[in-house]
Amino acid sequence: MLNGFYKATQATKSVRHRLIKTSRNTLLSRSSWARLWSSTSEFAPRNNGPSTRSRAASSSSTVKLKALAQKPLHVSGTLDRDEGHASKYPPVIQTAYDNIKKYPNCVVLTKVGGFYEIYLEQAEELGPLLHLKVAAKKTVAGPVPMAGFPFFQLDRFLKTLVQDLNRHVAISEEFARDPSARAKSGYLFDRRVVRIVTPGTLVDEKFIQPSENNFLLVVHAQGEVGAQQIGAEDHRPLPPSKLVGLAWLDLSTGEFFTQSSNFGSLPSELLRIGAREVVLSQSIGSASVQAIADAIGQEKHVVTQYPSHSAALPISEWEAKLESPVPLEEQSKFSAEEVAAGNILLDYVKEKLLGLGMKLQAPIKRYEARNMSIDKNSMRGLEILENSQTSSGGRKGSLLHSIRRTVTQSGARLLRERVSSPSTDLVVINQRLDLVESFARHRDLKDGLHLLLKRTFDSQRLAQKFALGRGDADDLVSLHRTILATQSVAQLIGDQSGDMQSSQHQSLLAQSSKFSLEGPLKLAAHIAEAIDEDALLEHHLNEQLESVEIVSRAQNVLNSEGDDADAKALSRITRSKAGSKIEKQLKVSDTDEDDLESPLDDTMIQASNPTSSNTAPEEQNAWIMRSSATPSLGTLHEKLGELANEKESLTSSLRRLSGASSLTLRWTPGTGHVCHVKGLKDVRASMEKLKTARSVGAKKSTRTFYLSEWSTLGSEIDQVKLQIRAEEQRVFQILREEVVDNLVKIRRNAVILDELDVACSFATLASEYGFVRPILNNGQSHKIIAGQHPTVMLGVQEQGRAFVSNDCLVGDDERVWLITGPNMAGKSTFLRQNALISILAQVGSFVPAKYAEIGIVDQIFSRIGSADNLYQDQSTFMVEMLETAQILKRATPRSFVIMDEVGRGTTPEDGVAISYACLHHLHSINRCRTLFATHFHALADMTQDWTSLGKYCTDVHEDSDGSFTYVHRLRSGVNRESHALKVAQLAGMPDTALDVASGIKQSLMVSGMQRHAEVPPTTTAVNA
């Protein structure tokens, strides 16, 4: 009796598993999932099912559940959830309840069979936000709110919870109990939290951005810090700098960095780093936490204050978590704040991984002096990383988007890092430029590298998955292909570097000499010897075939019970996880994944397994390891082959004995090893001649029965298969360990590939648009001939128009350029393009100009555009003044400053006074390279005696018929006409309004009401 109950249970679970796999990649309506969920619930007592289950009424009208208002389900009565009543919950809910108390700041997802479920208040709160049906589970303690979703949609809901709702999620998985524990408790599974997922601790989730780092940042300050000490970039006066330690890492790649900074630079550092999650140390006093959160919270990042309970450890104690120790001479270079921040970071990650081992790269100390500083306002105003004009801040139209020609995801991440933090080291910059020039001059080499780089996978993230114990066979195959491509890259560089000039030759040899291939090549050989890629592909195809079969069954169910929306949703099946792995396996050397045709068309499925519908499940095994991987595997596969022959012999013997030619030997989850015949004639023959068989089930034209010979042989086959799987797991674990042993070399090679990818990207950009190599020096001048805006230029050329280039010779003789001219004539574009050319040059790229010689810039500042900050009670003019104040305080003689229309947000008199004061300070005190655009023409008269200031302007060309065109080319001089009415005319202002404006302008000029343009007699310029 117990045996029969167990078989029935197994059959039910098999059906439930197939129902879940039916729509692995299909998004059905919530009503359909509710039907599937309720019909396959693991909860044993029938009267404990969701109370909302009911048969649908027969009606021709339908209402989409998603169109209904989703509100928390209010159950009758008050549920007492103290310790006494909590014990009355069923075991699954009790476990969830305990986890909610243990992890109070986390959403707890509990695995129950084929679903992840949410209980209690969390179900009431999050069900509507996740668009999940909230049901009430009846328990002795009262009804319990619950909601759930299929297990294969975990990534989708994690993305919503973690990235969209900024929540921490604790994932509770189920683990099969051993027979003794199962007999003692009566329950099949234990459940425990295996990991806490937060925005900054993603590892290999499907929704992680492949071309961006996923950084977790810790901010630490020694002692209490008052809120008034927050830096000026959150628009508070900047006090004497308060040092803070920054430590950040990307758990998906293992990269680990530290830096010393101050509160004033914190918002800019956050924008540069691009952290997904920010953790504040407990040492920062409560008075300052909210102010810091306000300052960096504008970036929409999760901000958490974390009380680290571990003792502060020196860097030498971090070795267990690092792939290699930090050299002793380097340890002393880290500040106390950095070390403290690093300790908090490691503790926080360890807590979220719940003991999962990790191997990070050794921490790299970042020095502010070695990189160009670009403050938050300049990063946004120059649209370096994102386009500020789009509603969502998209990347299209940004500098990063315009110049990106990388072919690998890791190369794209390196490009972003360099663009947001250009170098100030002449040696580093020139090495990068040498590499770009070598590829720009040798197109065959560049094209060959591009093809080889396309063969590689993201080895940084692949290696880190193995370091965290999460890599699979597909990752090993990807790593194998990447190692072989890396070897080809090294050979290609070595073969062609001899034909180059000395500097280019040295740059390529320097890269080639960094490769560490001996260990990785041995690893690649071991992977190739062990893993059968064809069998792995067949394994994924079998998974996909099973899904296709189940989908057809589900379609029949939905046709009879579902609505049109359900049927349409099911018909739009996309590639499943198996399909994506097949695509990964089919990736070829010179083809992007986007160019691949679907590998799952009918022809390929039939060709790969033409008899799949008639093949017993035990015959569809696709072993991922070669039988020659180890002697044990060879012996086991030989034995399995012998047993397969015995099975064929037994089948033939039974067919002869019974006279039933349709007899087959099968295995099913519910019944085990059985014999099956079909056809009325064969059924009768088997019943007459196989009288010792024990019948399992029979119909008019089919019969299923047990036969001791097949049961014994089938058990032997199962035992050998278990031994093969165990041996495969052992071999796989050996390969995993070998990957970890080669972590340092794999990551080092990955860094070189990324550098080559970025250099090839810049070379491609240069050849496409005629960029030139800039000359960098330690001077304090810009000599740019025929410069162009790198982003606007590309957009204009795409439209078939020509971009007007301009020279910029600001520096030694004319340290400041005062630029006047009409609206819409290109002043702002000119300012921005020279700042962006400076950034590109120090990133290591060629630049859009005919000639460029640039003195190293330590900081770039921009005061452009207008915006208010009503949240912090700051008007547009206040924001402008705060930004201007920071420029005047922080700019050095090596800085490059662009200022556009300072003082326009107030009265003309005040505006002229403020503009003059800024211009005077930049010219005489900061003494930095400055491009200063204004409509206050009086400034030209007030600065007549300034020897280091040049005056330039744009213009308008008017025809005799009244039409006009803008002259974007700068010329020496002052243009006292802003031509604002022409812009208003282009904008479509009504003629009546234009006539009024023209009349008022004439009357103002005649009456002399523009007295603000007169030079104040008390003004004294300080010349330099």
Side-chain angles (χ1 to χ4, degrees):
M1 182 175 178
L2 289 174
N3 186 40
F5 175 76
Y6 174 74
K7 291 176 180 177
T9 303
Q10 290 298 103
T12 301
K13 288 189 174 182
S14 175
V15 172
R16 183 169 187 255
H17 177 67
R18 288 174 175 268
L19 281 172
I20 290 167
K21 290 193 71 176
T22 295
S23 300
R24 180 177 295 273
N25 248 347
T26 304
L27 184 59
L28 302 184
S29 71
R30 285 166 288 175
S31 58
S32 296
W33 280 128
R35 289 195 294 274
L36 288 174
W37 183 27
S38 60
S39 65
T40 58
S41 177
E42 186 188 272
F43 295 102
R46 293 185 179 181
N47 60 346
N48 281 358
S51 61
T52 57
R53 188 193 308 179
S54 61
R55 183 174 179 176
S58 298
S59 174
S60 59
S61 61
T62 59
V63 178
K64 302 295 184 186
L65 187 59
K66 62 184 179 182
L68 301 177
Q70 293 292 301
K71 297 181 180 179
L73 179 65
H74 299 287
V75 296
S76 58
T78 302
L79 190 63
D80 189 356
R81 292 168 184 162
D82 60 18
E83 292 293 339
H85 288 76
S87 60
K88 297 180 181 179
Y89 291 144
V92 175
I93 299 179
Q94 178 64 42
T95 301
Y97 174 84
D98 294 340
N99 285 332
I100 290 173
K101 293 189 65 178
K102 186 176 181 180
Y103 306 101
N105 298 320
C106 297
V107 177
V108 177
L109 300 181
T110 304
K111 182 76 176 299
V112 183
F115 287 83
Y116 282 98
E117 297 179 353
I118 311 172
Y119 299 102
L120 304 166
E121 294 91 345
Q122 293 186 348
E124 293 179 310
E125 175 193 358
L126 297 170
L129 297 176
L130 298 175
H131 302 289
L132 294 175
K133 179 74 174 180
V134 180
K137 171 80 176 170
K138 292 181 180 179
T139 70
V140 176
V144 175
M146 61 185 295
F149 55 85
F151 73 94
F152 54 81
Q153 289 189 330
L154 176 61
D155 278 327
R156 173 195 165 197
F157 285 95
L158 270 181
K159 180 182 185 301
T160 302
L161 288 167
V162 176
Q163 287 194 336
D164 300 338
L165 300 180
N166 290 332
R167 302 294 291 268
H168 293 189
V169 179
I171 301 176
S172 176
E173 297 287 358
E174 57 186 10
F175 299 87
R177 295 187 174 187
D178 58 61
S180 60
R182 188 182 307 170
K184 183 177 180 180
S185 65
Y187 298 108
L188 299 177
F189 298 101
D190 276 329
R191 290 177 176 83
R192 63 177 181 269
V193 174
V194 297
R195 187 180 163 210
I196 298 175
V197 183
T198 73
T201 57
L202 303 181
V203 177
D204 60 351
E205 285 70 20
K206 298 297 181 295
F207 54 87
I208 194 171
Q209 288 292 337
S211 60
E212 296 180 8
N213 282 105
N214 196 85
F215 283 127
L216 168 69
L217 170 68
V218 167
V219 181
H220 173 78
Q222 299 287 6
E224 171 68 22
V225 182
Q228 71 277 6
Q229 288 182 293
I230 306 305
E233 288 184 345
D234 76 328
H235 309 308
R236 297 172 186 268
L238 183 67
S241 298
K242 174 65 181 182
L243 290 180
V244 296
L246 305 179
W248 65 99
L249 63 78
D250 183 345
L251 198 56
S252 69
T253 64
E255 294 168 284
F256 186 5
F257 302 92
T258 70
Q259 178 183 329
S260 290
S261 188
N262 57 66
F263 275 113
S265 301
L266 195 55
S268 295
E269 295 296 344
L270 177 65
L271 188 62
R272 176 186 62 79
I273 295 170
R276 305 291 183 183
E277 182 179 1
V278 179
V279 177
L280 304 180
S281 71
Q282 191 70 30
S283 66
I284 298 178
S286 58
S288 61
V289 169
Q290 186 58 48
I292 297 175
D294 289 343
I296 62 181
Q298 299 173 22
E299 314 302 330
K300 299 181 180 179
H301 296 297
V302 181
V303 180
T304 306
Q305 190 167 23
Y306 175 69
S308 178
H309 302 295
S310 301
L313 300 174
I315 294 180
S316 58
E317 299 295 323
W318 296 357
E319 291 185 10
K321 300 173 184 177
L322 305 177
E323 64 180 16
S324 59
V326 181
L328 187 62
E329 62 273 13
E330 293 293 323
Q331 294 181 20
S332 60
K333 298 179 181 179
F334 292 83
S335 68
E337 290 82 6
E338 290 175 273
V339 175
N343 275 298
I344 296 170
L345 182 65
L346 294 175
D347 286 346
Y348 185 82
V349 171
K350 180 181 178 181
E351 178 182 288
K352 301 310 175 188
L353 293 180
L354 297 178
L356 183 67
M358 59 177 171
K359 286 291 183 181
L360 304 172
Q361 298 180 37
I364 298 175
K365 179 178 174 62
R366 186 180 182 276
Y367 296 91
E368 289 184 338
R370 295 180 184 177
N371 299 91
M372 178 194 293
S373 173
I374 309 173
D375 71 336
K376 180 181 68 174
N377 302 314
S378 300
M379 193 79 75
R380 288 175 172 168
L382 296 173
E383 298 179 323
I384 294 173
L385 300 177
E386 294 185 347
N387 183 356
S388 61
Q389 301 303 314
T390 59
S391 58
S392 59
R395 288 163 182 77
K396 187 173 183 179
S398 66
L399 176 66
L400 179 61
H401 177 270
S402 298
I403 67 173
R404 177 182 168 182
R405 300 294 186 277
T406 52
V407 295
T408 67
Q409 303 292 2
S410 52
R413 295 197 296 269
L414 178 61
L415 178 62
R416 185 202 181 279
E417 175 191 335
R418 289 187 176 177
V419 168
S420 62
S421 185
S423 177
T424 57
D425 189 322
L426 270 178
V427 175
V428 171
I429 296 171
N430 282 318
Q431 286 176 348
R432 295 176 182 176
L433 290 172
D434 286 340
L435 200 57
V436 174
E437 185 172 3
S438 65
F439 294 137
R441 289 178 177 270
H442 299 82
R443 185 170 180 176
D444 291 342
L445 173 60
K446 174 178 69 67
D447 293 342
L449 277 176
H450 260 159
L451 292 177
L452 291 173
L453 289 170
K454 286 182 179 180
R455 294 185 188 179
T456 65
F457 294 82
D458 195 340
S459 50
Q460 288 270 22
R461 282 182 168 160
L462 286 174
Q464 184 64 6
K465 286 172 70 174
F466 285 101
L468 294 169
R470 298 170 69 92
D472 58 20
D474 295 285
D475 297 323
L476 283 175
V477 171
S478 299
L479 202 54
H480 164 259
R481 294 181 179 180
T482 301
I483 292 171
L484 295 185
T486 304
Q487 182 187 29
S488 299
V489 167
Q491 291 174 348
L492 180 63
I493 291 176
D495 292 343
Q496 297 201 21
S497 61
D499 300 331
M500 301 180 182
Q501 297 177 5
S502 178
S503 60
Q504 301 166 22
H505 177 75
Q506 292 300 323
S507 67
L508 276 177
L509 285 182
Q511 294 297 328
S512 180
S513 63
K514 295 178 185 177
F515 282 118
S516 299
L517 290 171
E518 183 178 356
L521 283 175
K522 290 182 180 178
L523 169 62
H526 293 161
I527 294 173
E529 292 169 0
I531 295 182
D532 187 340
E533 293 190 37
D534 293 334
L536 188 60
L537 178 60
E538 182 184 350
H539 173 71
H540 295 322
L541 279 170
N542 286 338
E543 288 182 346
Q544 188 67 13
L545 285 167
E546 183 181 0
S547 296
V548 171
E549 179 185 354
I550 299 303
V551 164
S552 64
R553 297 183 183 180
Q555 187 72 58
N556 295 331
V557 175
L558 291 178
N559 288 338
S560 60
E561 299 185 20
D563 54 26
D564 293 340
D566 294 335
K568 290 179 180 178
L570 187 60
S571 66
R572 295 191 298 266
I573 296 177
T574 57
R575 293 189 183 104
S576 67
K577 181 180 179 181
S580 65
K581 288 187 176 182
I582 292 171
E583 184 174 290
K584 193 175 182 181
Q585 291 294 320
L586 293 176
K587 182 178 179 183
V588 293
S589 61
D590 56 350
T591 307
D592 287 322
E593 289 187 23
D594 294 339
D595 298 330
L596 288 173
E597 296 180 358
S598 171
L600 299 175
D601 56 20
D602 295 338
T603 304
M604 184 172 182
I605 290 176
Q606 293 171 6
S608 65
N609 198 348
T611 60
S612 60
S613 60
N614 299 319
T615 304
E618 70 272 9
E619 295 176 352
Q620 295 181 12
N621 290 291
W623 306 107
I624 62 173
M625 296 288 178
R626 301 181 188 276
S627 60
S628 59
T630 66
S632 298
L633 270 179
T635 302
L636 289 170
H637 276 286
E638 287 179 7
K639 186 175 182 180
L640 185 62
E642 293 172 358
L643 292 174
N645 292 333
E646 290 185 30
K647 178 184 175 183
E648 291 181 5
S649 299
L650 179 61
T651 302
S652 300
S653 175
L654 290 174
R655 285 174 179 174
R656 288 193 305 270
L657 179 63
S658 65
S661 60
S662 65
L663 185 145
T664 57
L665 305 181
R666 297 183 175 184
W667 177 89
T668 63
T671 56
H673 295 91
V674 296
C675 302
H676 181 80
V677 293
K678 62 181 179 179
L680 186 60
K681 178 181 177 182
D682 286 357
V683 168
R684 290 176 179 173
S686 66
M687 294 180 68
E688 292 175 0
K689 298 182 179 180
L690 297 175
K691 294 182 179 180
T692 60
R694 183 163 56 91
S695 181
V696 177
K699 295 182 180 179
K700 185 175 181 180
S701 59
T702 62
R703 182 190 179 203
T704 304
F705 53 89
Y706 289 119
L707 202 64
S708 59
E709 293 90 336
W710 170 229
S711 297
T712 302
L713 179 60
S715 297
E716 292 182 26
I717 292 175
D718 288 346
Q719 186 63 32
V720 172
K721 288 181 178 179
L722 288 174
Q723 292 174 352
I724 291 176
R725 289 193 179 95
E727 180 65 11
E728 285 195 343
Q729 282 290 70
R730 188 186 72 82
V731 174
F732 184 73
Q733 185 59 33
I734 292 174
L735 291 175
R736 270 184 170 175
E737 293 172 359
E738 191 172 356
V739 172
V740 174
D741 291 340
N742 284 276
L743 269 181
V744 175
K745 296 178 180 179
I746 292 172
R747 284 171 168 164
R748 185 181 302 156
N749 294 342
V751 169
I752 301 169
L753 293 179
D754 294 344
E755 291 179 352
L756 294 173
D757 189 17
V758 172
C760 285
S761 173
F762 286 150
T764 300
L765 185 71
S767 63
E768 286 178 0
Y769 297 102
F771 287 12
V772 300
R773 174 171 178 161
I775 300 172
L776 281 299
N777 56 48
N778 286 317
Q780 296 179 13
S781 65
H782 270 53
K783 297 178 182 178
I784 299 173
I785 307 300
Q788 298 183 327
H789 192 295
T791 302
V792 177
M793 176 201 69
L794 301 183
V796 168
Q797 291 185 4
E798 287 177 359
Q799 299 171 14
R801 298 184 291 127
F803 185 92
V804 178
S805 58
N806 271 299
D807 301 342
C808 179
L809 306 175
V810 65
D812 297 330
D813 297 329
E814 295 178 340
R815 199 165 49 246
V816 178
W817 277 24
L818 180 65
I819 304 169
T820 56
N823 298 102
M824 292 289 292
K827 298 190 303 298
S828 297
T829 300
F830 177 75
L831 266 59
R832 288 176 168 92
Q833 79 182 34
N834 288 289
L836 293 177
I837 287 174
S838 304
I839 291 172
L840 282 179
Q842 293 185 215
V843 164
S845 169
F846 285 19
V847 298
K850 290 185 178 180
Y851 177 84
E853 184 176 349
I854 300 172
I856 290 292
V857 175
D858 64 350
Q859 301 177 88
I860 280 187
F861 295 100
S862 69
R863 163 78 285 284
I864 49 182
S866 60
D868 54 27
N869 189 342
L870 299 181
Y871 176 75
Q872 295 188 352
D873 195 25
Q874 293 165 352
S875 66
T876 301
F877 186 69
M878 181 61 177
V879 171
E880 178 183 322
M881 289 299 98
L882 285 164
E883 294 176 2
T884 301
Q886 283 310 296
I887 295 173
L888 300 183
K889 289 179 179 179
R890 296 172 58 186
T892 72
R894 293 181 60 197
S895 300
F896 188 80
V897 176
I898 60 173
M899 303 193 78
D900 192 9
E901 300 185 29
V902 173
R904 63 181 172 181
T906 184
T907 64
E909 291 79 6
D910 288 344
V912 169
I914 290 173
S915 295
Y916 177 85
C918 294
L919 194 59
H920 173 270
H921 200 283
L922 292 167
H923 175 271
S924 305
I925 298 177
N926 300 107
R927 303 172 67 84
C928 56
R929 286 160 279 182
T930 303
L931 301 179
F932 196 101
T934 185
H935 285 290
F936 294 134
H937 306 129
L939 294 179
D941 301 323
M942 300 165 69
T943 57
Q944 289 286 355
D945 298 331
W946 293 17
T947 57
S948 296
L949 181 139
K951 301 179 181 67
Y952 297 86
C953 65
T954 56
D955 213 336
V956 165
H957 175 74
E958 296 188 73
D959 295 327
S960 57
D961 59 357
S963 62
F964 64 92
T965 56
Y966 289 108
V967 180
H968 298 291
R969 183 88 62 191
L970 261 70
R971 62 176 176 84
S972 179
V974 178
N975 190 333
R976 299 182 184 272
E977 280 286 342
S978 293
H979 297 281
L981 296 187
K982 291 183 173 62
V983 178
Q985 180 183 349
L986 288 175
M989 184 177 286
D991 292 340
T992 54
L994 288 172
D995 292 340
V996 171
S998 180
I1000 293 297
K1001 179 181 178 182
Q1002 291 297 326
S1003 64
L1004 288 173
M1005 294 176 65
V1006 171
S1007 61
M1009 293 183 64
Q1010 293 182 312
R1011 288 186 297 273
H1012 62 277
E1014 297 177 1
V1015 181
T1018 57
T1019 299
T1020 303
V1022 180
N1023 296 320

